[in-house]
mmCIF file of all heavy atoms in Angstrom:
data_model
loop_
_atom_site.group_PDB
_atom_site.id
_atom_site.type_symbol
_atom_site.label_atom_id
_atom_site.label_comp_id
_atom_site.label_asym_id
_atom_site.label_seq_id
_atom_site.Cartn_x
_atom_site.Cartn_y
_atom_site.Cartn_z
ATOM 1 N N GLY A 1 23.603 -34.699 28.651
ATOM 2 C CA GLY A 1 22.882 -35.706 27.877
ATOM 3 C C GLY A 1 21.439 -35.360 27.869
ATOM 4 O O GLY A 1 20.641 -36.041 27.115
ATOM 5 N N VAL A 2 20.926 -34.349 28.578
ATOM 6 C CA VAL A 2 19.557 -33.936 28.631
ATOM 7 C C VAL A 2 19.239 -32.852 27.543
ATOM 8 O O VAL A 2 20.050 -31.865 27.422
ATOM 9 C CB VAL A 2 19.123 -33.493 29.986
ATOM 10 C CG1 VAL A 2 17.661 -33.081 30.069
ATOM 11 C CG2 VAL A 2 19.384 -34.654 30.996
ATOM 12 N N PHE A 3 18.117 -33.015 26.846
ATOM 13 C CA PHE A 3 17.583 -31.932 25.886
ATOM 14 C C PHE A 3 16.088 -31.702 26.309
ATOM 15 O O PHE A 3 15.382 -32.511 26.801
ATOM 16 C CB PHE A 3 17.833 -32.367 24.472
ATOM 17 C CG PHE A 3 16.909 -33.403 24.000
ATOM 18 C CD1 PHE A 3 15.673 -33.158 23.432
ATOM 19 C CD2 PHE A 3 17.270 -34.741 24.191
ATOM 20 C CE1 PHE A 3 14.803 -34.163 22.948
ATOM 21 C CE2 PHE A 3 16.427 -35.757 23.724
ATOM 22 C CZ PHE A 3 15.231 -35.421 23.132
ATOM 23 N N ARG A 4 15.745 -30.390 25.919
ATOM 24 C CA ARG A 4 14.406 -30.058 26.159
ATOM 25 C C ARG A 4 13.961 -29.216 24.912
ATOM 26 O O ARG A 4 14.745 -28.341 24.453
ATOM 27 C CB ARG A 4 14.158 -29.072 27.281
ATOM 28 C CG ARG A 4 14.334 -29.826 28.662
ATOM 29 C CD ARG A 4 14.187 -28.844 29.765
ATOM 30 N NE ARG A 4 14.791 -29.370 31.018
ATOM 31 C CZ ARG A 4 16.141 -29.408 31.401
ATOM 32 N NH1 ARG A 4 16.979 -28.907 30.584
ATOM 33 N NH2 ARG A 4 16.482 -29.957 32.541
ATOM 34 N N VAL A 5 12.877 -29.515 24.252
ATOM 35 C CA VAL A 5 12.359 -28.792 23.172
ATOM 36 C C VAL A 5 10.906 -28.518 23.280
ATOM 37 O O VAL A 5 10.090 -29.141 23.959
ATOM 38 C CB VAL A 5 12.566 -29.539 21.793
ATOM 39 C CG1 VAL A 5 14.054 -29.689 21.492
ATOM 40 C CG2 VAL A 5 11.886 -30.913 21.843
ATOM 41 N N SER A 6 10.466 -27.446 22.589
ATOM 42 C CA SER A 6 8.985 -27.096 22.535
ATOM 43 C C SER A 6 8.604 -27.502 21.081
ATOM 44 O O SER A 6 8.870 -26.715 20.120
ATOM 45 C CB SER A 6 8.692 -25.645 22.727
ATOM 46 O OG SER A 6 8.896 -25.350 24.130
ATOM 47 N N LEU A 7 8.139 -28.636 20.888
ATOM 48 C CA LEU A 7 7.665 -29.129 19.515
ATOM 49 C C LEU A 7 6.552 -28.262 19.054
ATOM 50 O O LEU A 7 5.620 -27.866 19.742
ATOM 51 C CB LEU A 7 7.216 -30.579 19.665
ATOM 52 C CG LEU A 7 8.285 -31.541 20.087
ATOM 53 C CD1 LEU A 7 7.723 -32.963 20.160
ATOM 54 C CD2 LEU A 7 9.443 -31.621 19.230
ATOM 55 N N GLY A 8 6.728 -27.839 17.784
ATOM 56 C CA GLY A 8 5.734 -26.933 17.171
ATOM 57 C C GLY A 8 6.220 -25.499 17.189
ATOM 58 O O GLY A 8 5.577 -24.664 16.539
ATOM 59 N N SER A 9 7.363 -25.227 17.811
ATOM 60 C CA SER A 9 7.818 -23.849 17.850
ATOM 61 C C SER A 9 8.576 -23.418 16.551
ATOM 62 O O SER A 9 8.685 -22.328 16.132
ATOM 63 C CB SER A 9 8.724 -23.544 19.045
ATOM 64 O OG SER A 9 9.890 -24.432 19.024
ATOM 65 N N VAL A 10 9.184 -24.458 15.855
ATOM 66 C CA VAL A 10 9.858 -24.203 14.616
ATOM 67 C C VAL A 10 8.896 -24.507 13.416
ATOM 68 O O VAL A 10 8.795 -23.642 12.478
ATOM 69 C CB VAL A 10 11.093 -25.075 14.433
ATOM 70 C CG1 VAL A 10 11.692 -24.980 13.073
ATOM 71 C CG2 VAL A 10 12.069 -24.648 15.562
ATOM 72 N N THR A 11 8.225 -25.605 13.364
ATOM 73 C CA THR A 11 7.189 -25.834 12.442
ATOM 74 C C THR A 11 5.889 -26.147 13.119
ATOM 75 O O THR A 11 5.741 -27.114 13.913
ATOM 76 C CB THR A 11 7.656 -27.204 11.681
ATOM 77 O OG1 THR A 11 8.966 -26.989 11.091
ATOM 78 C CG2 THR A 11 6.684 -27.553 10.557
ATOM 79 N N ALA A 12 4.805 -25.220 12.821
ATOM 80 C CA ALA A 12 3.612 -25.319 13.510
ATOM 81 C C ALA A 12 2.925 -26.699 13.141
ATOM 82 O O ALA A 12 3.173 -27.331 12.076
ATOM 83 C CB ALA A 12 2.636 -24.224 12.962
ATOM 84 N N PHE A 13 2.215 -27.182 14.146
ATOM 85 C CA PHE A 13 1.501 -28.473 13.900
ATOM 86 C C PHE A 13 0.521 -28.329 12.768
ATOM 87 O O PHE A 13 -0.243 -27.400 12.726
ATOM 88 C CB PHE A 13 0.730 -28.915 15.107
ATOM 89 C CG PHE A 13 1.676 -29.445 16.293
ATOM 90 C CD1 PHE A 13 1.847 -28.693 17.489
ATOM 91 C CD2 PHE A 13 2.541 -30.444 15.962
ATOM 92 C CE1 PHE A 13 2.630 -29.120 18.445
ATOM 93 C CE2 PHE A 13 3.482 -30.893 17.039
ATOM 94 C CZ PHE A 13 3.501 -30.134 18.194
ATOM 95 N N SER A 14 0.507 -29.307 11.864
ATOM 96 C CA SER A 14 -0.432 -29.346 10.741
ATOM 97 C C SER A 14 -1.834 -29.606 11.221
ATOM 98 O O SER A 14 -2.074 -30.255 12.294
ATOM 99 C CB SER A 14 -0.048 -30.310 9.700
ATOM 100 O OG SER A 14 0.022 -31.611 10.269
ATOM 101 N N THR A 15 -2.799 -29.109 10.516
ATOM 102 C CA THR A 15 -4.196 -29.313 10.842
ATOM 103 C C THR A 15 -4.651 -30.665 10.555
ATOM 104 O O THR A 15 -5.829 -31.109 10.940
ATOM 105 C CB THR A 15 -5.188 -28.348 10.098
ATOM 106 O OG1 THR A 15 -4.882 -28.534 8.605
ATOM 107 C CG2 THR A 15 -4.833 -26.868 10.402
ATOM 108 N N ASN A 16 -3.869 -31.514 9.862
ATOM 109 C CA ASN A 16 -4.303 -32.967 9.632
ATOM 110 C C ASN A 16 -3.968 -33.855 10.824
ATOM 111 O O ASN A 16 -4.147 -35.058 10.676
ATOM 112 C CB ASN A 16 -3.742 -33.408 8.306
ATOM 113 C CG ASN A 16 -2.207 -33.565 8.421
ATOM 114 O OD1 ASN A 16 -1.562 -33.051 9.276
ATOM 115 N ND2 ASN A 16 -1.695 -34.321 7.392
ATOM 116 N N ILE A 17 -3.441 -33.419 11.917
ATOM 117 C CA ILE A 17 -3.216 -34.262 13.007
ATOM 118 C C ILE A 17 -4.568 -34.313 13.874
ATOM 119 O O ILE A 17 -5.007 -33.349 14.162
ATOM 120 C CB ILE A 17 -2.111 -33.744 14.007
ATOM 121 C CG1 ILE A 17 -0.792 -33.693 13.243
ATOM 122 C CG2 ILE A 17 -1.986 -34.585 15.221
ATOM 123 C CD1 ILE A 17 0.396 -33.042 14.068
ATOM 124 N N ASP A 18 -5.094 -35.494 14.078
ATOM 125 C CA ASP A 18 -6.219 -35.723 14.882
ATOM 126 C C ASP A 18 -5.770 -35.887 16.287
ATOM 127 O O ASP A 18 -5.454 -37.082 16.646
ATOM 128 C CB ASP A 18 -7.026 -36.890 14.304
ATOM 129 C CG ASP A 18 -8.304 -37.152 15.068
ATOM 130 O OD1 ASP A 18 -8.597 -36.361 16.054
ATOM 131 O OD2 ASP A 18 -8.900 -38.218 14.812
ATOM 132 N N TRP A 19 -5.869 -34.861 17.106
ATOM 133 C CA TRP A 19 -5.389 -34.926 18.512
ATOM 134 C C TRP A 19 -6.375 -35.746 19.322
ATOM 135 O O TRP A 19 -6.109 -36.191 20.389
ATOM 136 C CB TRP A 19 -5.155 -33.547 19.110
ATOM 137 C CG TRP A 19 -4.111 -32.808 18.411
ATOM 138 C CD1 TRP A 19 -4.253 -31.708 17.488
ATOM 139 C CD2 TRP A 19 -2.657 -32.935 18.571
ATOM 140 N NE1 TRP A 19 -3.016 -31.298 17.148
ATOM 141 C CE2 TRP A 19 -2.113 -32.050 17.683
ATOM 142 C CE3 TRP A 19 -1.828 -33.924 19.253
ATOM 143 C CZ2 TRP A 19 -0.761 -31.933 17.639
ATOM 144 C CZ3 TRP A 19 -0.435 -33.736 19.159
ATOM 145 C CH2 TRP A 19 0.145 -32.830 18.336
ATOM 146 N N ASN A 20 -7.565 -35.944 18.800
ATOM 147 C CA ASN A 20 -8.650 -36.598 19.563
ATOM 148 C C ASN A 20 -8.702 -38.068 19.205
ATOM 149 O O ASN A 20 -9.732 -38.618 18.899
ATOM 150 C CB ASN A 20 -10.022 -35.923 19.244
ATOM 151 C CG ASN A 20 -11.049 -36.303 20.303
ATOM 152 O OD1 ASN A 20 -10.779 -36.663 21.366
ATOM 153 N ND2 ASN A 20 -12.294 -36.252 19.832
ATOM 154 N N GLN A 21 -7.624 -38.761 19.366
ATOM 155 C CA GLN A 21 -7.523 -40.216 19.114
ATOM 156 C C GLN A 21 -6.303 -40.688 19.932
ATOM 157 O O GLN A 21 -5.582 -40.026 20.383
ATOM 158 C CB GLN A 21 -7.456 -40.604 17.558
ATOM 159 C CG GLN A 21 -6.396 -39.782 16.854
ATOM 160 C CD GLN A 21 -5.210 -40.718 16.640
ATOM 161 O OE1 GLN A 21 -5.225 -41.908 16.554
ATOM 162 N NE2 GLN A 21 -4.059 -40.102 16.518
ATOM 163 N N SER A 22 -6.272 -42.046 20.038
ATOM 164 C CA SER A 22 -5.320 -42.694 20.979
ATOM 165 C C SER A 22 -3.995 -43.146 20.531
ATOM 166 O O SER A 22 -3.186 -43.529 21.288
ATOM 167 C CB SER A 22 -6.017 -43.734 21.720
ATOM 168 O OG SER A 22 -6.377 -44.785 20.846
ATOM 169 N N VAL A 23 -3.864 -43.043 19.184
ATOM 170 C CA VAL A 23 -2.541 -43.711 18.637
ATOM 171 C C VAL A 23 -1.748 -42.657 17.916
ATOM 172 O O VAL A 23 -1.818 -42.617 16.719
ATOM 173 C CB VAL A 23 -2.842 -44.967 17.877
ATOM 174 C CG1 VAL A 23 -1.597 -45.687 17.542
ATOM 175 C CG2 VAL A 23 -3.724 -45.891 18.574
ATOM 176 N N LEU A 24 -0.918 -41.892 18.541
ATOM 177 C CA LEU A 24 0.016 -40.913 17.978
ATOM 178 C C LEU A 24 1.425 -41.306 18.545
ATOM 179 O O LEU A 24 1.518 -41.489 19.741
ATOM 180 C CB LEU A 24 -0.311 -39.521 18.368
ATOM 181 C CG LEU A 24 -1.608 -38.937 17.737
ATOM 182 C CD1 LEU A 24 -1.885 -37.582 18.241
ATOM 183 C CD2 LEU A 24 -1.384 -38.877 16.119
ATOM 184 N N TRP A 25 2.326 -41.303 17.686
ATOM 185 C CA TRP A 25 3.752 -41.689 18.049
ATOM 186 C C TRP A 25 4.676 -40.509 17.699
ATOM 187 O O TRP A 25 4.576 -39.934 16.581
ATOM 188 C CB TRP A 25 4.114 -42.873 17.223
ATOM 189 C CG TRP A 25 3.233 -44.194 17.387
ATOM 190 C CD1 TRP A 25 2.249 -44.554 16.701
ATOM 191 C CD2 TRP A 25 3.308 -45.095 18.564
ATOM 192 N NE1 TRP A 25 1.680 -45.675 17.229
ATOM 193 C CE2 TRP A 25 2.377 -46.046 18.349
ATOM 194 C CE3 TRP A 25 4.206 -45.244 19.639
ATOM 195 C CZ2 TRP A 25 2.239 -47.095 19.293
ATOM 196 C CZ3 TRP A 25 4.049 -46.222 20.514
ATOM 197 C CH2 TRP A 25 3.097 -47.148 20.354
ATOM 198 N N LEU A 26 5.682 -40.348 18.459
ATOM 199 C CA LEU A 26 6.749 -39.356 18.204
ATOM 200 C C LEU A 26 8.061 -40.131 17.996
ATOM 201 O O LEU A 26 8.415 -41.001 18.743
ATOM 202 C CB LEU A 26 6.919 -38.476 19.491
ATOM 203 C CG LEU A 26 8.084 -37.409 19.395
ATOM 204 C CD1 LEU A 26 7.784 -36.324 18.362
ATOM 205 C CD2 LEU A 26 8.352 -36.724 20.737
ATOM 206 N N SER A 27 8.636 -39.719 16.850
ATOM 207 C CA SER A 27 10.016 -40.307 16.617
ATOM 208 C C SER A 27 11.028 -39.149 16.668
ATOM 209 O O SER A 27 10.723 -38.057 16.432
ATOM 210 C CB SER A 27 10.047 -40.899 15.166
ATOM 211 O OG SER A 27 10.217 -39.943 14.246
ATOM 212 N N VAL A 28 12.254 -39.609 17.060
ATOM 213 C CA VAL A 28 13.366 -38.669 17.251
ATOM 214 C C VAL A 28 14.577 -39.175 16.330
ATOM 215 O O VAL A 28 14.885 -40.382 16.427
ATOM 216 C CB VAL A 28 13.785 -38.627 18.723
ATOM 217 C CG1 VAL A 28 14.915 -37.684 18.871
ATOM 218 C CG2 VAL A 28 12.620 -38.118 19.518
ATOM 219 N N ASN A 29 15.157 -38.272 15.596
ATOM 220 C CA ASN A 29 16.315 -38.631 14.774
ATOM 221 C C ASN A 29 17.356 -37.732 15.351
ATOM 222 O O ASN A 29 17.334 -36.486 15.158
ATOM 223 C CB ASN A 29 16.032 -38.340 13.348
ATOM 224 C CG ASN A 29 17.198 -38.676 12.451
ATOM 225 O OD1 ASN A 29 18.409 -38.656 12.922
ATOM 226 N ND2 ASN A 29 16.992 -38.907 11.135
ATOM 227 N N PHE A 30 18.367 -38.283 15.990
ATOM 228 C CA PHE A 30 19.484 -37.497 16.581
ATOM 229 C C PHE A 30 20.654 -37.392 15.616
ATOM 230 O O PHE A 30 21.152 -38.416 15.247
ATOM 231 C CB PHE A 30 19.881 -38.140 17.992
ATOM 232 C CG PHE A 30 21.089 -37.449 18.508
ATOM 233 C CD1 PHE A 30 21.046 -36.237 19.097
ATOM 234 C CD2 PHE A 30 22.312 -38.192 18.548
ATOM 235 C CE1 PHE A 30 22.180 -35.643 19.552
ATOM 236 C CE2 PHE A 30 23.495 -37.603 19.093
ATOM 237 C CZ PHE A 30 23.372 -36.350 19.647
ATOM 238 N N ASN A 31 21.076 -36.159 15.284
ATOM 239 C CA ASN A 31 22.277 -35.912 14.510
ATOM 240 C C ASN A 31 22.290 -36.658 13.185
ATOM 241 O O ASN A 31 23.442 -37.148 12.779
ATOM 242 C CB ASN A 31 23.491 -36.156 15.388
ATOM 243 C CG ASN A 31 24.540 -35.138 15.225
ATOM 244 O OD1 ASN A 31 24.146 -33.996 14.818
ATOM 245 N ND2 ASN A 31 25.718 -35.392 15.519
ATOM 246 N N GLY A 32 21.225 -36.959 12.547
ATOM 247 C CA GLY A 32 21.217 -37.696 11.265
ATOM 248 C C GLY A 32 21.479 -39.173 11.360
ATOM 249 O O GLY A 32 21.785 -39.867 10.367
ATOM 250 N N ASP A 33 21.394 -39.778 12.548
ATOM 251 C CA ASP A 33 21.714 -41.206 12.739
ATOM 252 C C ASP A 33 20.458 -42.096 12.436
ATOM 253 O O ASP A 33 20.648 -43.314 12.571
ATOM 254 C CB ASP A 33 22.139 -41.477 14.188
ATOM 255 C CG ASP A 33 23.617 -40.917 14.500
ATOM 256 O OD1 ASP A 33 24.333 -40.700 13.432
ATOM 257 O OD2 ASP A 33 23.928 -40.757 15.636
ATOM 258 N N GLY A 34 19.335 -41.471 12.015
ATOM 259 C CA GLY A 34 18.151 -42.234 11.729
ATOM 260 C C GLY A 34 17.271 -42.239 12.947
ATOM 261 O O GLY A 34 17.601 -41.866 14.074
ATOM 262 N N GLU A 35 15.977 -42.533 12.646
ATOM 263 C CA GLU A 35 14.929 -42.477 13.734
ATOM 264 C C GLU A 35 15.330 -43.643 14.848
ATOM 265 O O GLU A 35 15.615 -44.761 14.437
ATOM 266 C CB GLU A 35 13.513 -42.777 13.185
ATOM 267 C CG GLU A 35 13.041 -41.607 12.305
ATOM 268 C CD GLU A 35 11.756 -42.015 11.733
ATOM 269 O OE1 GLU A 35 11.660 -42.863 10.813
ATOM 270 O OE2 GLU A 35 10.715 -41.349 12.143
ATOM 271 N N MET A 36 15.209 -43.136 16.068
ATOM 272 C CA MET A 36 15.433 -44.168 17.140
ATOM 273 C C MET A 36 14.106 -44.806 17.450
ATOM 274 O O MET A 36 13.051 -44.254 17.338
ATOM 275 C CB MET A 36 15.932 -43.302 18.397
ATOM 276 C CG MET A 36 17.271 -42.718 18.277
ATOM 277 S SD MET A 36 17.846 -41.995 19.780
ATOM 278 C CE MET A 36 17.235 -40.342 19.586
ATOM 279 N N GLY A 37 14.258 -46.020 17.954
ATOM 280 C CA GLY A 37 13.041 -46.796 18.202
ATOM 281 C C GLY A 37 13.122 -47.457 19.547
ATOM 282 O O GLY A 37 14.227 -47.613 20.220
ATOM 283 N N PRO A 38 12.024 -47.929 20.042
ATOM 284 C CA PRO A 38 10.725 -47.717 19.477
ATOM 285 C C PRO A 38 10.308 -46.149 19.600
ATOM 286 O O PRO A 38 10.765 -45.503 20.440
ATOM 287 C CB PRO A 38 9.788 -48.582 20.261
ATOM 288 C CG PRO A 38 10.477 -48.693 21.585
ATOM 289 C CD PRO A 38 11.953 -48.610 21.389
ATOM 290 N N TYR A 39 9.239 -45.844 18.845
ATOM 291 C CA TYR A 39 8.658 -44.499 18.942
ATOM 292 C C TYR A 39 8.165 -44.240 20.271
ATOM 293 O O TYR A 39 7.737 -45.284 20.993
ATOM 294 C CB TYR A 39 7.629 -44.316 17.874
ATOM 295 C CG TYR A 39 8.101 -44.472 16.356
ATOM 296 C CD1 TYR A 39 7.159 -44.870 15.404
ATOM 297 C CD2 TYR A 39 9.460 -44.237 15.952
ATOM 298 C CE1 TYR A 39 7.600 -44.972 14.138
ATOM 299 C CE2 TYR A 39 9.781 -44.353 14.709
ATOM 300 C CZ TYR A 39 8.931 -44.714 13.753
ATOM 301 O OH TYR A 39 9.313 -44.834 12.409
ATOM 302 N N VAL A 40 8.007 -43.036 20.666
ATOM 303 C CA VAL A 40 7.301 -42.729 21.901
ATOM 304 C C VAL A 40 5.890 -42.418 21.736
ATOM 305 O O VAL A 40 5.457 -41.672 20.832
ATOM 306 C CB VAL A 40 7.957 -41.383 22.490
ATOM 307 C CG1 VAL A 40 7.363 -41.003 23.742
ATOM 308 C CG2 VAL A 40 9.446 -41.536 22.687
ATOM 309 N N ARG A 41 4.967 -43.120 22.443
ATOM 310 C CA ARG A 41 3.560 -42.940 22.233
ATOM 311 C C ARG A 41 3.102 -41.754 23.015
ATOM 312 O O ARG A 41 3.549 -41.570 24.232
ATOM 313 C CB ARG A 41 2.758 -44.126 22.850
ATOM 314 C CG ARG A 41 1.316 -44.020 22.464
ATOM 315 C CD ARG A 41 0.583 -45.260 22.821
ATOM 316 N NE ARG A 41 -0.799 -45.170 22.431
ATOM 317 C CZ ARG A 41 -1.580 -46.226 22.420
ATOM 318 N NH1 ARG A 41 -1.287 -47.371 22.836
ATOM 319 N NH2 ARG A 41 -2.830 -45.995 22.063
ATOM 320 N N LEU A 42 2.502 -40.731 22.335
ATOM 321 C CA LEU A 42 1.998 -39.591 23.060
ATOM 322 C C LEU A 42 0.755 -39.816 23.897
ATOM 323 O O LEU A 42 -0.035 -40.708 23.534
ATOM 324 C CB LEU A 42 1.664 -38.454 22.043
ATOM 325 C CG LEU A 42 2.769 -38.053 21.132
ATOM 326 C CD1 LEU A 42 2.160 -36.991 20.138
ATOM 327 C CD2 LEU A 42 3.882 -37.449 21.964
ATOM 328 N N SER A 43 0.745 -39.271 25.122
ATOM 329 C CA SER A 43 -0.368 -39.468 26.080
ATOM 330 C C SER A 43 -0.930 -38.098 26.446
ATOM 331 O O SER A 43 -0.459 -37.070 26.162
ATOM 332 C CB SER A 43 0.169 -40.302 27.210
ATOM 333 O OG SER A 43 1.182 -39.639 27.845
ATOM 334 N N ALA A 44 -2.109 -38.177 27.154
ATOM 335 C CA ALA A 44 -2.707 -37.007 27.615
ATOM 336 C C ALA A 44 -1.912 -36.049 28.539
ATOM 337 O O ALA A 44 -1.068 -36.572 29.214
ATOM 338 C CB ALA A 44 -4.076 -37.344 28.301
ATOM 339 N N ALA A 45 -2.114 -34.825 28.440
ATOM 340 C CA ALA A 45 -1.433 -33.882 29.325
ATOM 341 C C ALA A 45 -2.496 -32.935 29.904
ATOM 342 O O ALA A 45 -3.601 -32.783 29.427
ATOM 343 C CB ALA A 45 -0.478 -32.971 28.504
ATOM 344 N N PRO A 46 -2.230 -32.333 31.065
ATOM 345 C CA PRO A 46 -3.198 -31.482 31.714
ATOM 346 C C PRO A 46 -3.664 -30.348 30.796
ATOM 347 O O PRO A 46 -4.868 -29.978 30.893
ATOM 348 C CB PRO A 46 -2.415 -30.996 32.994
ATOM 349 C CG PRO A 46 -1.382 -31.958 33.244
ATOM 350 C CD PRO A 46 -0.988 -32.522 31.832
ATOM 351 N N TYR A 47 -2.787 -29.737 30.058
ATOM 352 C CA TYR A 47 -3.189 -28.648 29.226
ATOM 353 C C TYR A 47 -3.063 -29.196 27.840
ATOM 354 O O TYR A 47 -2.105 -29.048 27.122
ATOM 355 C CB TYR A 47 -2.176 -27.521 29.462
ATOM 356 C CG TYR A 47 -2.535 -26.216 28.747
ATOM 357 C CD1 TYR A 47 -3.719 -25.486 29.132
ATOM 358 C CD2 TYR A 47 -1.771 -25.660 27.771
ATOM 359 C CE1 TYR A 47 -4.076 -24.368 28.600
ATOM 360 C CE2 TYR A 47 -2.063 -24.486 27.193
ATOM 361 C CZ TYR A 47 -3.270 -23.777 27.635
ATOM 362 O OH TYR A 47 -3.580 -22.651 26.990
#
C-alpha cells in the first residue's frame, strides 16, 4: 500500500510556481479515479 515518488523527476517544476509563499497544495489522482481530497498542504523542508 506504500508508494514513494520524486515529484519533478518526470515533469520538471514550472517556473511559475512561487515557492516563497505559504499556500501550495498537492493533489493525487490514483489510477484515474479522480483527485483525492482534501489536498495535501505543502510545508517547509530542511533542503
